[in-house]
Amino acid sequence: AQTVTQSQPEMSVQEAETVTLSCTYDTSESDYYLFWYKQPPSRQMILVIRQEAYKQQNATENRFSVNFQKAAKSFSLKISDSQLGDAAMYFCAYRSAYTGTASKLTFGTGTRLQVTL
Amino acid sequence: DAGVIQSPRHEVTEMGQEVTLRCKPISGHNSLFWYRQTMMRGLELLIYFNNNVPIDDSGMPEDRFSAKMPNASFSTLKIQPSEPRDSAVYFCASSGSSGGPIRDTQYFGPGTRLTVL
């Protein structure tokens, strides 16, 4: 079974600064997807970024980028130019690619990000 | 396009009562997932459907929980009888290669906050 570990329960960053959230995972599969979801106080789960394991290039979405290290099974999220609206719980998630769309997400325990002025 | 729709957004009920949560997936998606989020257990998958057929219900906590997907645009999660330990946020998510801006990614509804007194 796959596991996802987020070792930082809480992180804090000043507005306009950069912060990196860590995520490691364990799997015996070679093809999979990794995701970062954001959960603000509204509880809505919002997709931030996704990475396909077979792609070597790190995914980027505006101020959000990942550092995907497949051999190390590491998938960190970097938030640049942090904004107050980035304050939320961030979840790392893993999904197997072998069963198509019918494949569950395995989530980490989350990292709560605070953004200070 | 409308996202995943869940109703009700909040439900408060008394122990022993029947609770029904509803979900409408994104049009064109063929996979539907029910997750539960609690402080103690984090986000966990309860059950998921592919093409309206239940694929894995191993996450359903006990016989008091049941889920149905009578057609491609509607699913229910029922708890009968409800207990205080069922209090949680219940999320519905959908995915599919034919809908949404990113293939095979799960999109979440806003969740239903259930409180059982």
Side-chain angles (χ1 to χ4, degrees):
Chain A
Q2 294 81 26
T3 59
V4 177
T5 302
Q6 293 180 250
S7 59
Q8 306 155 315
E10 291 189 6
M11 293 283 285
S12 183
V13 63
Q14 281 193 320
E15 200 176 18
E17 298 296 308
T18 296
V19 65
T20 298
L21 309 184
S22 300
C23 173
T24 58
Y25 58 95
D26 188 27
T27 184
S28 59
E29 298 177 334
S30 60
D31 198 11
Y32 48 86
Y33 300 96
L34 296 164
F35 304 85
W36 280 98
Y37 282 88
K38 169 186 176 181
Q39 187 177 40
S42 66
R43 298 196 316 266
Q44 178 80 46
M45 293 288 286
I46 303 165
L47 176 70
V48 175
I49 199 165
R50 106 178 191 150
Q51 176 79 43
E52 292 147 339
Y54 64 85
K55 289 187 177 179
Q56 292 187 340
Q57 186 174 6
N58 289 324
T60 299
E61 287 289 342
N62 300 314
R63 298 182 295 107
F64 298 88
S65 62
V66 298
N67 183 5
F68 173 49
Q69 301 289 329
K70 191 172 184 179
K73 296 180 182 176
S74 170
F75 182 61
S76 61
L77 175 69
K78 185 172 82 171
I79 306 174
S80 303
D81 185 25
S82 297
Q83 301 175 0
L84 294 177
D86 295 334
M89 195 77 162
Y90 287 81
F91 291 95
C92 179
Y94 171 102
R95 207 210 90 188
S96 171
Y98 289 102
T99 52
T101 59
S103 180
K104 70 175 185 179
L105 287 169
T106 299
F107 287 93
T109 52
T111 296
R112 184 170 302 282
L113 179 66
Q114 290 185 320
V115 181
T116 59
L117 294 172
Chain B
D1 286 343
V4 176
I5 299 171
Q6 289 187 249
S7 64
R9 294 293 307 276
H10 303 271
E11 177 79 28
V12 180
T13 190
E14 292 190 346
M15 183 174 63
Q17 296 298 306
E18 177 180 296
V19 174
T20 299
L21 310 182
R22 297 172 177 81
C23 175
K24 177 179 170 54
I26 292 172
S27 178
H29 281 187
N30 61 346
S31 295
L32 183 140
F33 306 79
W34 284 101
Y35 292 90
R36 180 171 68 174
Q37 185 178 33
T38 62
M39 289 293 292
M40 292 296 292
R41 300 174 66 91
L43 278 154
E44 53 182 348
L45 179 74
L46 299 177
I47 184 172
Y48 68 93
F49 296 83
N50 190 42
N51 295 322
N52 311 337
V53 176
I55 301 300
D56 183 355
D57 65 354
S58 60
M60 296 286 262
E62 47 198 276
D63 293 344
R64 297 184 297 106
F65 286 69
S66 62
K68 294 182 180 179
M69 192 165 185
N71 56 62
S73 58
F74 184 66
S75 177
T76 60
L77 178 67
K78 186 176 293 187
I79 309 173
Q80 164 72 24
S82 58
E83 296 182 2
R85 59 190 167 126
D86 302 330
S87 297
V89 179
Y90 290 82
F91 287 102
C92 177
S94 71
S95 69
S97 57
S98 60
I102 305 177
R103 183 178 178 276
D104 294 338
T105 294
Q106 290 183 26
Y107 295 90
F108 284 73
T112 295
R113 179 179 288 278
L114 173 65
T115 302
V116 183
L117 302 174

